[in-house]
């Protein structure tokens, strides 16, 4: 089992920045990829960014050039640096970890971007 705890959400004005953190615990040795998803009201959950154990990254087109995913293996933590935020980035952001068999999810952190 893997436990994930997100932090760093909040209210920010358009153009501002936030950094989300996701601390992993438990059977972290089994994780081969971690990522951030988001779900806006009335919409499906979508991938925002992902990073593999080898450091390869993948981003949704809508956040490329604005968001950066990174990981600190010593702290078992993944970060999502979000810059130039837009109102359409408003959503609950969820941390995800995958071990090839199962997906684990955090409870989510709300990001609200005001215009």
């Amino acid at each position: 089992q893997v436990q994930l705890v997100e932090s760093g959400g909040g209210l920010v004005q358009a153009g501002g920045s936030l950094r989300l953190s996701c601390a992993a615990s438990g059977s972290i040795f089994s994780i081969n990829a971690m990522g951030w998803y988001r779900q806006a009201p009335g919409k499906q959950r979508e991938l925002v960014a992902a990073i593999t154990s080898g450091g390869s990254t993948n981003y949704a087109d809508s956040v490329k050039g604005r968001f950066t995913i990174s990981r600190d293996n010593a702290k078992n933590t993944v970060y999502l640096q979000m810059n130039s935020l837009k109102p359409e980035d408003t959503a609950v952001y969820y941390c995800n970890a995958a071990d090839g068999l199962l997906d684990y999810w955090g409870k989510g952190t709300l990001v609200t971007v005001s215009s």
Side-chain angles (χ1 to χ4, degrees), residues 2-39:
V2 174
Q3 294 78 44
L4 303 171
V5 178
E6 303 103 333
S7 60
L11 173 64
V12 64
Q13 288 188 330
S17 298
L18 282 174
R19 189 177 80 156
L20 306 183
S21 300
C22 172
S25 60
S27 301
I28 57 176
F29 60 88
S30 66
I31 298 173
N32 52 37
M34 294 187 70
W36 290 93
Y37 288 70
R38 67 186 180 188
Q39 188 166 17

Side-chain angles (χ1 to χ4, degrees), residues 49-66:
I51 186 166
T52 68
S53 56
S56 297
T57 58
N58 182 43
Y59 295 92
D61 287 343
S62 59
V63 306
K64 283 181 181 177
R66 300 189 298 123

Side-chain angles (χ1 to χ4, degrees), residues 7-21 36 66-70 79-86 89-91 93 109-114:
S7 60
L11 173 64
V12 64
Q13 288 188 330
S17 298
L18 282 174
R19 189 177 80 156
L20 306 183
S21 300
W36 290 93
R66 300 189 298 123
F67 291 10
T68 302
I69 189 169
S70 62
Y79 304 97
L80 184 67
Q81 178 67 44
M82 305 185 293
N83 299 328
S84 303
L85 282 161
K86 304 176 181 179
D89 294 318
T90 295
Y93 284 70
T109 184
L110 178 62
V111 172
T112 304
V113 184
S114 63

